Amino acid sequence: MSEAVESAYARLSVMEEGEFAGWHYWEGDPYETRSGPFFHRREADGSFVSAFRAEPRHMNGAGFMHGGCLMTFADFALFAIATDALAGDSAVTLNLSGDFLGPVAPGALVEARGEVTRGGGKTIFVRGMVTGDGNPALSFTGIIRRLSRR
Amino acid sequence: MSEAVESAYARLSVMEEGEFAGWHYWEGDPYETRSGPFFHRREADGSFVSAFRAEPRHMNGAGFMHGGCLMTFADFALFAIATDALAGDSAVTLNLSGDFLGPVAPGALVEARGEVTRGGGKTIFVRGMVTGDGNPALSFTGIIRRLSRR
Amino acid sequence: MSEAVESAYARLSVMEEGEFAGWHYWEGDPYETRSGPFFHRREADGSFVSAFRAEPRHMNGAGFMHGGCLMTFADFALFAIATDALAGDSAVTLNLSGDFLGPVAPGALVEARGEVTRGGGKTIFVRGMVTGDGNPALSFTGIIRRLSRR
Amino acid sequence: MSEAVESAYARLSVMEEGEFAGWHYWEGDPYETRSGPFFHRREADGSFVSAFRAEPRHMNGAGFMHGGCLMTFADFALFAIATDALAGDSAVTLNLSGDFLGPVAPGALVEARGEVTRGGGKTIFVRGMVTGDGNPALSFTGIIRRLSRR
């Protein structure tokens, strides 16, 4: 796929069908694919939005989205938000913190947006918000560490 | 199942076979079951240990356990660690924070142990550690909020 | 002082002179007064900004603002940001987390702005940013708990 | 002072009188000295304990220790706990997170203990607990970053 960016580990591919046709996702990440897959794309203003559609398989025993699913999506979103700061470099998560603000029900459009609060160096700081149908669900912060220059 | 504790949402059941025979797990939590299932049991000293066996499906694109999987397991472990403080009450997670300390490879025995740093009231504070084959993988803290007295 | 709001513990007063004339501060909080004092006011858009002027006494051994000073100011700012959500109620901090983004030097104008990410109930979630002369210094999140209705 | 370790910025000195005679503190850190001073020493088991005596000047408007004071002490304790991992190198705090567990009253002996959960590299992870007269007050985690090899 010509749009694909090869990383050391996984391949950034473009979804070709369905609700997220034209969005990017990572192929070759078993847990993320199985949890999601999750998608991201660049918006007109240059920022990145991540998204997926909530299904019954994402829920906990109470019928709302599992906190672990929200955190897994946030971990995905960290790297989408940091796309420009990473400039193609590999990175690992050092810290991920989340405040759970409200429930997400099956059928909701789940999105994550955020900003790099400090980039440029080896340590990149991000903060963001996950929403379900536009309502706050998870406020998160993350610190990622660049592993290598490409 | 006679040992099962009925909660408002999910049912604490006993695994009957395999490596975790005799351990407890929650039935009726789709995301957790699909991510794990994860197990817990009370140790001789009264504390709770949570555990599962790392498989390729838990990994990220680099072949190590996905941060989201570690956080999902930590969210499970929060409630195991807080078993006595909860005394059967339902609860929700308010905050979950994790420091990623080291990789976990497929095949590793993944365990979580920890302690309630403040219980007794409606807000319960926990800290814990996830290990892979005994090596530190995720240091986590969590705050959970009791929803109701049974 | 007629503008003063009496809380259970400290008194919200108005600074009458100097750079922060017309801003509010809490009288009767020894550590905060000694660290600052710190000031806040409502902006034209309804949000709250907190501020103080960096002095040599706020610095660490390297000559930049001490992390503890930034966190103390963030703890102050949590309550300013949550003014409307608190509606005069007393509250305590449950969690305060900070990512240190950049140094603040003596002489800088230190400000904090942020938002309530979830209010309305007994548990109030806040996130914010401390800047020094407009440059990011501390990204913070906090959870505060309402103690009582007035 | 022969025991003093010269760092790039401040000088580790030995207190010569009073309750903390024989304990170490950093000279040349204005905010820390003014907040404390805080002290640390190595225990017989090789670990480090940090301590100070709570005074009225450390309190908030409710008469209990200010959250900012607890966080400032935790930031100090991070570096004491990481003494062996740092091996004399300078470092900065990247993240500091605290869960507030209980009040500390004037007169209490305030102590902090903890452990390096990951050391060895440039990024050092710590977790610890601040107590007041032995009762849990602040559970904290921190990430510090080594700046330079001496």
Side-chain angles (χ1 to χ4, degrees):
Chain A
M1 191 173 295
S2 60
E3 299 91 336
V5 172
E6 299 286 342
S7 89
Y9 307 124
R11 189 173 60 173
L12 189 60
S13 299
V14 177
M15 188 67 174
E16 297 193 332
E17 55 184 26
E19 180 176 9
F20 297 100
W23 293 61
H24 290 79
Y25 69 103
W26 290 99
E27 279 191 279
D29 187 315
Y31 188 77
E32 206 161 273
T33 299
R34 190 176 162 85
S35 293
F38 304 131
F39 303 97
H40 68 76
R41 70 173 180 195
R42 193 187 288 267
E43 300 281 74
D45 67 359
S47 71
F48 280 83
V49 59
S50 300
F52 72 108
R53 178 67 59 179
E55 298 176 20
R57 65 188 170 90
H58 300 121
M59 302 298 131
N60 64 19
F64 296 110
M65 187 166 284
H66 195 288
C69 183
L70 287 164
M71 294 297 269
T72 301
F73 180 54
D75 193 28
F76 169 88
L78 284 183
F79 289 78
I81 293 165
T83 298
D84 291 339
L86 284 170
D89 292 340
S90 298
V92 293
T93 306
L94 295 183
N95 173 268
L96 180 61
S97 301
D99 287 341
F100 294 89
L101 305 178
V104 177
L109 175 63
V110 187
E111 297 172 292
R113 291 177 172 81
E115 58 185 315
V116 172
T117 53
R118 177 174 180 161
K122 295 202 100 179
T123 307
I124 298 167
F125 297 79
V126 173
R127 70 174 182 181
M129 178 70 73
V130 177
T131 56
D133 282 342
N135 300 307
L138 181 78
S139 167
F140 65 93
T141 62
I143 309 175
I144 62 179
R145 176 115 187 108
R146 195 190 302 273
L147 284 181
S148 58
R149 299 279 178 180
R150 286 168 70 86
Chain B
M1 193 174 293
S2 62
E3 300 92 336
V5 173
E6 299 288 342
S7 89
Y9 308 124
R11 190 172 59 175
L12 189 59
S13 299
V14 177
M15 188 68 175
E16 295 193 334
E17 55 186 25
E19 180 176 9
F20 297 101
W23 292 63
H24 290 79
Y25 68 104
W26 290 99
E27 279 192 277
D29 187 316
Y31 188 77
E32 204 161 276
T33 298
R34 190 174 160 86
S35 293
F38 305 131
F39 304 97
H40 68 76
R41 71 174 179 197
R42 193 188 287 270
E43 300 281 74
D45 67 1
S47 70
F48 280 83
V49 60
S50 299
F52 72 108
R53 179 66 60 179
E55 299 177 21
R57 66 187 169 92
H58 299 121
M59 302 297 132
N60 62 20
F64 297 108
M65 187 164 287
H66 195 286
C69 183
L70 288 164
M71 294 296 269
T72 301
F73 180 55
D75 193 28
F76 169 89
L78 284 184
F79 289 77
I81 292 166
T83 297
D84 291 340
L86 284 169
D89 292 339
S90 296
V92 292
T93 306
L94 296 183
N95 173 268
L96 180 60
S97 301
D99 286 342
F100 294 89
L101 306 177
V104 177
L109 175 63
V110 186
E111 297 172 292
R113 290 177 172 80
E115 60 186 314
V116 172
T117 54
R118 176 172 181 163
K122 295 202 101 180
T123 307
I124 298 167
F125 297 79
V126 173
R127 69 173 184 182
M129 179 70 73
V130 177
T131 56
D133 284 342
N135 301 309
L138 181 79
S139 168
F140 64 93
T141 62
I143 308 176
I144 62 180
R145 176 111 188 110
R146 195 191 303 274
L147 285 181
S148 59
R149 299 281 179 180
R150 288 167 69 87
Chain C
M1 192 172 292
S2 60
E3 300 90 336
V5 172
E6 298 287 342
S7 88
Y9 307 123
R11 190 174 58 173
L12 188 61
S13 299
V14 176
M15 188 68 175
E16 297 192 334
E17 54 186 26
E19 179 176 11
F20 297 101
W23 293 62
H24 291 79
Y25 67 103
W26 291 99
E27 279 191 278
D29 187 315
Y31 188 78
E32 206 161 275
T33 298
R34 191 174 160 85
S35 293
F38 305 131
F39 304 97
H40 67 77
R41 71 173 179 196
R42 192 188 289 271
E43 299 282 72
D45 66 359
S47 70
F48 280 84
V49 60
S50 300
F52 72 108
R53 179 67 57 180
E55 300 175 19
R57 64 188 171 90
H58 299 121
M59 303 297 131
N60 62 20
F64 296 110
M65 187 163 286
H66 195 287
C69 183
L70 287 165
M71 294 297 267
T72 301
F73 180 55
D75 194 27
F76 169 88
L78 283 184
F79 289 78
I81 293 166
T83 297
D84 291 339
L86 285 169
D89 292 338
S90 297
V92 292
T93 306
L94 296 182
N95 173 268
L96 180 61
S97 300
D99 287 340
F100 294 89
L101 305 178
V104 177
L109 175 64
V110 188
E111 297 172 292
R113 290 177 172 81
E115 59 185 315
V116 172
T117 53
R118 177 174 180 161
K122 295 202 100 179
T123 308
I124 297 167
F125 297 80
V126 173
R127 68 174 185 181
M129 178 71 73
V130 177
T131 55
D133 283 342
N135 301 308
L138 181 78
S139 166
F140 64 94
T141 61
I143 308 175
I144 63 179
R145 175 115 187 106
R146 195 191 303 274
L147 284 180
S148 60
R149 297 281 178 179
R150 288 169 69 87
Chain D
M1 192 174 294
S2 61
E3 299 91 335
V5 172
E6 298 287 342
S7 89
Y9 307 124
R11 189 173 59 173
L12 189 60
S13 299
V14 176
M15 187 68 176
E16 296 193 334
E17 54 184 27
E19 180 176 9
F20 297 100
W23 293 62
H24 291 79
Y25 67 103
W26 290 99
E27 279 191 279
D29 187 315
Y31 187 78
E32 205 161 275
T33 299
R34 189 174 162 85
S35 293
F38 305 131
F39 304 96
H40 68 75
R41 71 173 180 196
R42 193 186 287 271
E43 299 281 74
D45 66 359
S47 69
F48 280 83
V49 60
S50 299
F52 72 109
R53 179 67 59 179
E55 299 176 20
R57 65 186 169 92
H58 300 120
M59 303 298 132
N60 62 20
F64 297 109
M65 187 164 285
H66 196 288
C69 183
L70 287 164
M71 294 298 270
T72 301
F73 180 54
D75 193 28
F76 169 88
L78 283 183
F79 289 77
I81 293 166
T83 297
D84 291 339
L86 284 171
D89 292 339
S90 297
V92 292
T93 306
L94 296 183
N95 172 270
L96 179 61
S97 301
D99 287 341
F100 294 89
L101 305 177
V104 177
L109 175 64
V110 188
E111 297 172 293
R113 292 177 172 80
E115 59 184 316
V116 172
T117 53
R118 176 173 181 160
K122 295 202 101 179
T123 308
I124 298 167
F125 296 79
V126 172
R127 68 174 184 181
M129 178 71 72
V130 177
T131 56
D133 283 343
N135 301 308
L138 181 78
S139 167
F140 64 93
T141 62
I143 308 176
I144 61 179
R145 176 115 189 108
R146 194 190 305 273
L147 285 180
S148 59
R149 298 281 179 179
R150 288 168 67 87

